[in-house]
Amino acid sequence: MAKDKKLVEAITSMDVDFAQWYTDVVKKAELCDYASVKGCMVIKPDGYAIWENIQAELDRRFKAAGVQNVYMPIFIPESLLQKEKDHVEGFAPEVAWVTHGGLEPLQERMCVRPTSETLFCDFYAKDIHSYRDLPRVYNQWCSVVRWEKTTRPFLRSREFLWQEGHTAHATAEEAEERTIQMLNIYADFCEEVLAIPVIRGQKTDKEKFAGAESTYTIEALMHDGKALQSGTSHNFGDGFAKAFGIQYAAKDNSLQYVHQTSWGVSTRLIGAIIMAHGDDNGLVLPPRIAPTQVIVVPVQQQKAGVLEKAYELRDVLSGFRVKVDDTDKSPGWKFSECEMRGIPVRVEIGPRDIENGKAVLVRRDTHEKIEVSLDEIAAKVGELLETIQKDMLERARAHRDSHTYSADNYEDFVKTIEEKPGFVKAMWCGDRACEDKIKEDTGATSRCMPFAQEQISDRCVCCGKPAKKMVYWGRAY
Amino acid sequence: MAKDKKLVEAITSMDVDFAQWYTDVVKKAELCDYASVKGCMVIKPDGYAIWENIQAELDRRFKAAGVQNVYMPIFIPESLLQKEKDHVEGFAPEVAWVTHGGLEPLQERMCVRPTSETLFCDFYAKDIHSYRDLPRVYNQWCSVVRWEKTTRPFLRSREFLWQEGHTAHATAEEAEERTIQMLNIYADFCEEVLAIPVIRGQKTDKEKFAGAESTYTIEALMHDGKALQSGTSHNFGDGFAKAFGIQYAAKDNSLQYVHQTSWGVSTRLIGAIIMAHGDDNGLVLPPRIAPTQVIVVPVQQQKAGVLEKAYELRDVLSGFRVKVDDTDKSPGWKFSECEMRGIPVRVEIGPRDIENGKAVLVRRDTHEKIEVSLDEIAAKVGELLETIQKDMLERARAHRDSHTYSADNYEDFVKTIEEKPGFVKAMWCGDRACEDKIKEDTGATSRCMPFAQEQISDRCVCCGKPAKKMVYWGRAY
């Protein structure tokens, strides 16, 4: 038992130091490790398996929405990056520059892509000729590089994995529709698969993507009351099309500029899963995304028939992602370990259980123990996984809702942000100056102008001028 | 018909100019396009979909063999690349160097990974402690960069997509076993899925991977009689382990070096598919890898009921990857187009067919037309796809075998290589000097020392000294 305790004690409690708790979980649950390259990650098997499940489920939803996958080069020549003014200003300060190929200096330096708008635009300018070529709804799964100064595993790193969709449309309406459609796919995915409720809304001009006409976002609330931007979808209008000369011949033979969008989610979602669901025993994974959904832990496995029964249960449960822990560690150690790794359901099976034709199911999320008959274990495990998935979403939603406040005057607003971690809903006049002042006074930023608007008052919470929008404010990752 | 003709005429015949035929197919079948970044590719939807199918099928086979996926950083610090002497000599001349991060010069320059042995070794040195941590059987799917001087789409480009497996084992035997196991997975995959027969064998020391103790390879023969190295698997022994200090505590508590392997295949396989199966009408895809296996082409689609029937057939054939071409192009144009794209089976359905309760199936590989009753079309299409898959492998094997020669004296050997494109089997003494002379005299290289050895004579074909191995020789991509 001393050994088991040690494993658990090694995690900092989230109430004591949330940042350290996060780092401990990432490390002890073996999701990722630091690399010799500063600010970059080694994503380990358990972390990568979560990413593979995210990819598989999102890619299925993308394809059902008419998305086609492609692959663009990893490098962007400097002249190409500079074609759209706002875009280059946003990204040039944080890219990695390649200056030599083999033993020779390059004629023009290239950056490693921080995002690929410029490459897609360059391609579309050559590839799109007529209205028959539209829409183009392309996506790529790849890694991108942004030379961040401070980094945290999954949340902010110099290299991360993501998907980036880039589309071209004949009309502004169609582009706007696609922008919203993809945001909703992200939101539904987060809620249905990751059990993370999100606020859907639009970014203010200050917070929007470099070069976009409008940026939409999904914002989730973490355990510590900080917001995490979890996915974004941008409508570029025809700005990039004009900068890159992407035109098509319409049905009436007139030359028109295309309207474009881009949208992406990244390995940051793994950070969201950790911080939305984890507890002081480690990771807690929603069943639909868990690489291992069920782990069978034999108790007194040296006794005749125990291991055999464990393997038999694995076969009975083969409709789920199931494993047997048949290592020579103690059961207590194994229990701690599968809690740390966040496996949704643990099946405990020992000689007494076998005698009684029963096993014990243990929920990772609530630690509840449920005795089940071996005859009906597959059905029971299936129901339990569904229940856990549902309960986790509800619990996260309850946490989010109980940490969402509203304020109709600046004193209340500042006090709430200072004292109560979470979202604060408040009215805004639409001026950048108020956003800047709020940031300076409280550290909070406008997270989004939610699609579901409420009328909290008719005045801006900051300057008292007539309000234009209700905004979610919060401190963010 | 003028339009249809144009589409077909746009391809150079492979007998006239094979290289141009290849480029034409890549371009006209819309597999990839040149990017603004010299030597890099834009992989378009049809090309990428082939890669996705390769990935899905290989990944399934990897996982069944105990492989776990991970992700390592994209960058390698120069000092890390230099740790293994042979390895750095092999790769340093052809890497892209990052020298600036954001606005500042880096303290140490980094290359974009050309391959990740050094990163995996660096990680394993920290991650492996005891025999309990072994084996490590990790793989990653990613892109790599090699600053090649001359490039060709899929075959040799400055960036390409691949998987690279990197393993660590307790014993030399286990490492060797894994090296061969992965080579066999590649070979079986090529034959069973890509319908490309391969020679399995070992590379000579001259041709082996930089830093490897031994390299195994699968070699395929293309239509033009040139060889294509299609996958490699390397046994490093404990060379890298010693350079990087990767040691584990054995059961007896002694410190031991691990034994390592690496293995990879890349988007080059798409080039292999094109050059092993294509013809003067374009791409010919084996059914198991084809993104679209069946295309339904309505004839006289403006007539009542034709399009409806086409959609109905799509539903009936939904067990396959099926599409309907309901564009407003002429049937002739559609036929040319799906031939160009290599779709294995075309279903033609027009008013007369509907009246007779029949449809016409057209094989892409042989152009054979088969009339089938609509009642049994799903079963017939299923059988036909199986037949095509089998026939394509047999045809490729027959081509390979009829272009494989043997020579027992140097005059014959040189003459055969000069006059008969293909493999030449000949004995070799084991000396590098003979390989160099053969390369200089004929342009041919040793492709491999096949596992299936034959005794063609007892003397080296080049120097006449006693022979050690039978070698496949050939000109290669």
Side-chain angles (χ1 to χ4, degrees):
Chain A
M1 278 311 287
K3 256 175 139 190
D4 309 343
K5 273 212 157 157
K6 206 174 143 204
L7 186 71
V8 175
E9 279 172 1
I11 323 188
T12 307
S13 161
M14 56 167 81
D15 292 334
V16 171
D17 182 345
F18 193 79
Q20 188 57 48
W21 168 84
Y22 178 81
T23 308
D24 286 354
V25 172
V26 163
K27 187 98 184 164
K28 300 275 168 190
E30 301 202 29
L31 300 181
C32 85
D33 212 334
Y34 297 99
S36 285
V37 187
K38 196 170 167 295
C40 289
M41 299 181 281
V42 172
I43 306 181
K44 295 170 80 170
D46 275 10
Y48 199 81
I50 296 174
W51 182 239
E52 284 182 310
N53 287 346
I54 290 174
Q55 285 189 297
E57 182 57 31
L58 266 181
D59 203 66
R60 196 181 63 71
R61 291 171 187 234
F62 288 169
K63 282 178 176 148
V67 176
Q68 293 185 297
N69 286 336
V70 299
Y71 188 77
M72 292 283 154
I74 194 175
F75 298 123
I76 307 175
E78 187 164 21
S79 56
L80 203 57
L81 189 69
Q82 288 173 337
K83 276 205 173 179
E84 209 285 338
K85 188 178 62 66
D86 292 336
H87 191 70
V88 65
E89 275 175 23
F91 284 103
E94 57 172 37
V95 296
W97 290 106
V98 174
T99 56
H100 287 71
L103 306 172
E104 284 162 30
L106 300 179
Q107 292 199 301
E108 178 187 10
R109 65 179 185 163
M110 310 176 302
C111 70
V112 182
R113 65 182 160 222
T115 180
S116 305
E117 275 73 12
T118 53
L119 291 163
F120 275 88
C121 284
D122 184 53
F123 173 69
Y124 284 148
K126 289 181 293 190
D127 197 53
I128 293 172
H129 307 287
S130 126
Y131 70 92
R132 287 170 191 264
D133 298 328
L134 296 175
R136 283 271 191 266
V137 186
Y138 287 174
N139 173 66
Q140 72 177 358
W141 292 93
C142 63
S143 84
V144 287
V145 169
R146 298 179 186 177
W147 214 249
E148 307 274 1
K149 296 234 186 299
T150 52
T151 60
R152 298 188 67 189
F154 296 122
L155 297 176
R156 194 172 292 279
S157 50
R158 287 186 170 173
E159 181 193 14
F160 56 90
L161 304 182
W162 79 344
Q163 58 68 218
E164 46 179 326
H166 297 268
T167 72
H169 306 270
T171 65
E173 294 68 39
E174 204 184 293
E176 178 68 8
E177 212 171 278
R178 175 60 69 171
T179 315
I180 302 291
Q181 178 187 15
M182 299 317 292
L183 190 83
N184 282 325
I185 286 178
Y186 291 154
D188 293 344
F189 168 78
C190 283
E191 296 181 350
E192 294 165 12
V193 180
L194 306 185
I196 299 175
V198 293
I199 307 290
R200 310 172 193 211
Q202 187 176 353
K203 287 283 185 194
T204 61
D205 280 354
K206 180 183 175 185
E207 299 288 336
K208 75 183 187 188
F209 183 80
E213 227 167 55
S214 49
T215 287
Y216 300 96
T217 180
I218 50 172
E219 299 282 325
L221 199 70
M222 302 294 100
H223 259 317
D224 62 348
K226 278 168 88 172
L228 188 78
Q229 176 181 303
S230 304
T232 48
S233 187
H234 317 289
N235 186 342
F236 293 116
D238 57 8
F240 274 90
K242 284 179 172 159
F244 284 81
I246 313 172
Q247 288 184 298
Y248 69 96
K251 283 189 185 170
D252 65 4
N253 267 322
S254 65
L255 265 187
Q256 305 287 340
Y257 286 105
V258 300
H259 292 75
Q260 293 177 269
T261 82
S262 82
W263 23 273
V265 296
S266 73
T267 34
R268 186 168 235 226
L269 286 177
I270 301 175
I273 296 169
I274 300 168
M275 293 196 293
H277 300 303
D279 65 21
D280 280 351
N281 294 322
L283 197 59
V284 182
L285 290 173
R288 290 194 191 145
I289 212 70
T292 304
Q293 297 174 308
V294 184
I295 187 148
V296 180
V297 181
V299 177
Q300 293 186 280
Q301 70 185 40
Q302 73 290 355
K303 293 222 170 146
V306 174
L307 266 180
E308 289 70 14
K309 195 71 188 179
Y311 295 135
E312 195 186 311
L313 284 182
R314 179 184 57 193
D315 295 341
V316 169
L317 296 170
S318 62
F320 311 101
R321 297 189 285 269
V322 63
K323 278 191 182 161
V324 173
D325 186 347
D326 55 7
T327 59
D328 58 4
K329 298 165 191 164
S330 75
W333 180 270
K334 290 179 187 181
F335 295 164
S336 296
E337 207 167 53
C338 61
E339 298 235 313
M340 181 68 75
R341 292 172 57 205
I343 299 169
V345 172
R346 175 168 91 228
V347 179
E348 300 177 2
I349 183 91
R352 179 82 64 92
D353 303 304
I354 297 171
E355 215 175 285
N356 298 331
K358 293 189 182 294
V360 176
L361 310 185
V362 186
R363 287 177 67 156
R364 171 61 185 91
D365 62 332
T366 61
H367 299 97
E368 186 191 350
K369 295 192 169 204
I370 303 153
E371 201 178 71
V372 296
S373 156
L374 291 178
D375 299 334
E376 45 178 22
I377 192 164
K380 290 293 178 189
V381 165
E383 287 164 25
L384 190 56
L385 288 170
E386 280 305 305
T387 305
I388 293 172
Q389 182 78 32
K390 206 169 112 279
D391 289 357
M392 285 180 72
L393 175 61
E394 278 174 22
R395 216 175 298 124
R397 197 189 300 279
H399 175 268
R400 198 261 317 265
D401 291 348
S402 68
H403 289 78
T404 300
Y405 309 94
S406 54
D408 63 2
N409 66 74
Y410 201 59
E411 194 184 340
D412 267 13
F413 180 80
V414 173
K415 198 163 176 298
T416 309
I417 287 176
E418 293 297 337
E419 292 174 7
K420 297 178 174 171
F423 285 130
V424 184
K425 298 188 284 190
M427 306 307 291
W428 176 55
C429 60
D431 285 353
R432 167 85 184 244
C434 289
E435 276 183 282
D436 288 342
K437 179 170 162 55
I438 288 170
K439 175 84 188 279
E440 206 182 308
D441 290 350
T442 67
T445 49
S446 67
R447 303 315 309 151
C448 71
M449 304 178 284
F451 294 152
Q453 283 282 310
E454 297 165 51
Q455 180 79 11
I456 289 165
S457 85
D458 56 2
R459 299 274 147 190
C460 176
V461 76
C462 182
C463 68
K465 280 191 274 192
K468 286 198 180 130
K469 284 282 180 184
M470 191 269 275
V471 168
Y472 274 85
W473 305 85
R475 289 178 179 147
Y477 280 95
Chain B
M1 276 310 287
K3 256 174 138 188
D4 310 345
K5 273 213 155 156
K6 205 174 146 204
L7 186 72
V8 176
E9 279 174 3
I11 323 188
T12 307
S13 161
M14 57 167 80
D15 291 336
V16 171
D17 182 345
F18 193 79
Q20 189 57 47
W21 168 84
Y22 178 80
T23 309
D24 286 352
V25 172
V26 162
K27 186 97 185 166
K28 300 276 167 190
E30 301 204 29
L31 300 180
C32 84
D33 211 335
Y34 296 99
S36 284
V37 187
K38 195 170 168 297
C40 288
M41 297 181 281
V42 171
I43 307 182
K44 295 170 80 169
D46 275 9
Y48 199 81
I50 295 174
W51 181 238
E52 284 183 310
N53 288 346
I54 290 174
Q55 285 189 297
E57 182 57 30
L58 267 181
D59 204 65
R60 196 180 64 70
R61 291 172 188 233
F62 288 170
K63 282 178 175 146
V67 176
Q68 293 184 297
N69 287 336
V70 298
Y71 188 77
M72 292 282 156
I74 193 174
F75 298 124
I76 307 175
E78 187 163 20
S79 55
L80 203 58
L81 189 69
Q82 289 174 337
K83 275 202 172 180
E84 211 284 339
K85 191 178 59 66
D86 292 336
H87 191 69
V88 66
E89 276 175 23
F91 284 102
E94 58 171 38
V95 297
W97 291 105
V98 175
T99 56
H100 287 71
L103 306 172
E104 285 161 29
L106 299 179
Q107 291 198 302
E108 177 185 10
R109 66 178 185 164
M110 310 174 303
C111 69
V112 181
R113 64 182 161 222
T115 179
S116 304
E117 275 73 13
T118 52
L119 291 163
F120 275 88
C121 285
D122 184 52
F123 173 69
Y124 284 147
K126 289 181 294 189
D127 197 54
I128 293 172
H129 307 287
S130 125
Y131 69 92
R132 286 170 192 264
D133 299 326
L134 296 174
R136 281 274 190 263
V137 185
Y138 287 174
N139 173 65
Q140 73 178 357
W141 292 93
C142 62
S143 84
V144 287
V145 168
R146 298 180 186 176
W147 214 250
E148 307 273 1
K149 295 233 189 298
T150 52
T151 62
R152 298 189 68 188
F154 297 121
L155 298 176
R156 193 171 293 277
S157 49
R158 287 188 169 174
E159 181 193 13
F160 56 90
L161 304 182
W162 79 344
Q163 58 69 218
E164 46 178 329
H166 297 269
T167 72
H169 305 270
T171 65
E173 293 69 36
E174 205 184 292
E176 177 69 7
E177 213 171 277
R178 175 60 69 169
T179 315
I180 302 291
Q181 178 187 14
M182 298 317 293
L183 189 84
N184 282 327
I185 286 179
Y186 292 153
D188 293 344
F189 168 78
C190 283
E191 296 180 352
E192 294 165 12
V193 180
L194 307 186
I196 299 175
V198 294
I199 308 290
R200 311 171 193 212
Q202 186 175 356
K203 287 283 183 193
T204 62
D205 281 352
K206 179 182 176 186
E207 300 288 336
K208 75 183 183 185
F209 183 80
E213 225 167 55
S214 50
T215 287
Y216 300 95
T217 180
I218 50 173
E219 300 282 326
L221 198 69
M222 303 295 99
H223 259 317
D224 62 348
K226 278 168 86 172
L228 188 77
Q229 176 181 304
S230 305
T232 47
S233 188
H234 316 290
N235 186 341
F236 293 115
D238 57 8
F240 274 91
K242 284 179 172 158
F244 284 82
I246 314 173
Q247 288 184 297
Y248 69 97
K251 283 191 185 169
D252 65 4
N253 267 324
S254 65
L255 265 186
Q256 304 287 342
Y257 285 105
V258 301
H259 292 75
Q260 293 177 269
T261 82
S262 82
W263 24 274
V265 297
S266 73
T267 35
R268 185 167 236 229
L269 286 177
I270 300 175
I273 295 169
I274 300 168
M275 293 195 293
H277 300 303
D279 65 22
D280 280 349
N281 294 322
L283 198 58
V284 182
L285 290 173
R288 290 193 191 146
I289 212 70
T292 302
Q293 296 174 310
V294 184
I295 188 150
V296 180
V297 181
V299 176
Q300 294 185 278
Q301 68 185 43
Q302 72 290 355
K303 294 223 171 146
V306 174
L307 266 180
E308 289 71 14
K309 197 69 189 179
Y311 296 134
E312 196 186 310
L313 285 181
R314 178 185 57 192
D315 295 341
V316 169
L317 297 170
S318 63
F320 311 102
R321 297 188 285 268
V322 62
K323 279 192 182 160
V324 173
D325 187 346
D326 54 9
T327 58
D328 58 3
K329 298 165 190 163
S330 74
W333 180 271
K334 290 179 186 181
F335 296 164
S336 295
E337 206 167 55
C338 62
E339 298 235 313
M340 181 67 74
R341 293 172 57 206
I343 299 170
V345 172
R346 175 168 89 228
V347 179
E348 301 177 359
I349 183 91
R352 179 82 66 92
D353 301 305
I354 297 172
E355 215 175 286
N356 297 333
K358 294 189 182 294
V360 177
L361 310 185
V362 186
R363 287 177 66 156
R364 171 61 185 93
D365 60 333
T366 60
H367 300 98
E368 186 191 351
K369 295 191 170 207
I370 304 153
E371 201 177 69
V372 296
S373 156
L374 291 177
D375 300 335
E376 46 177 24
I377 191 166
K380 289 293 178 189
V381 165
E383 286 165 24
L384 189 56
L385 289 170
E386 280 306 304
T387 304
I388 293 172
Q389 182 79 32
K390 205 170 112 278
D391 288 356
M392 285 180 71
L393 175 61
E394 277 174 21
R395 216 173 299 123
R397 196 190 302 281
H399 175 267
R400 198 260 320 265
D401 291 349
S402 68
H403 290 78
T404 301
Y405 309 93
S406 53
D408 63 2
N409 66 75
Y410 201 61
E411 193 183 340
D412 267 10
F413 180 80
V414 172
K415 196 163 179 298
T416 309
I417 287 177
E418 294 296 339
E419 294 174 8
K420 297 180 177 172
F423 286 130
V424 183
K425 299 187 283 189
M427 305 308 291
W428 176 55
C429 60
D431 284 351
R432 167 84 183 242
C434 290
E435 276 183 282
D436 289 341
K437 178 170 163 52
I438 287 171
K439 175 83 188 280
E440 206 184 304
D441 291 349
T442 67
T445 50
S446 67
R447 303 315 309 153
C448 71
M449 303 178 283
F451 294 152
Q453 284 283 313
E454 296 165 52
Q455 180 78 13
I456 289 166
S457 85
D458 56 2
R459 299 274 148 190
C460 176
V461 76
C462 183
C463 68
K465 279 191 277 192
K468 287 198 179 130
K469 285 280 180 187
M470 190 269 275
V471 168
Y472 274 86
W473 305 86
R475 290 176 181 150
Y477 280 95

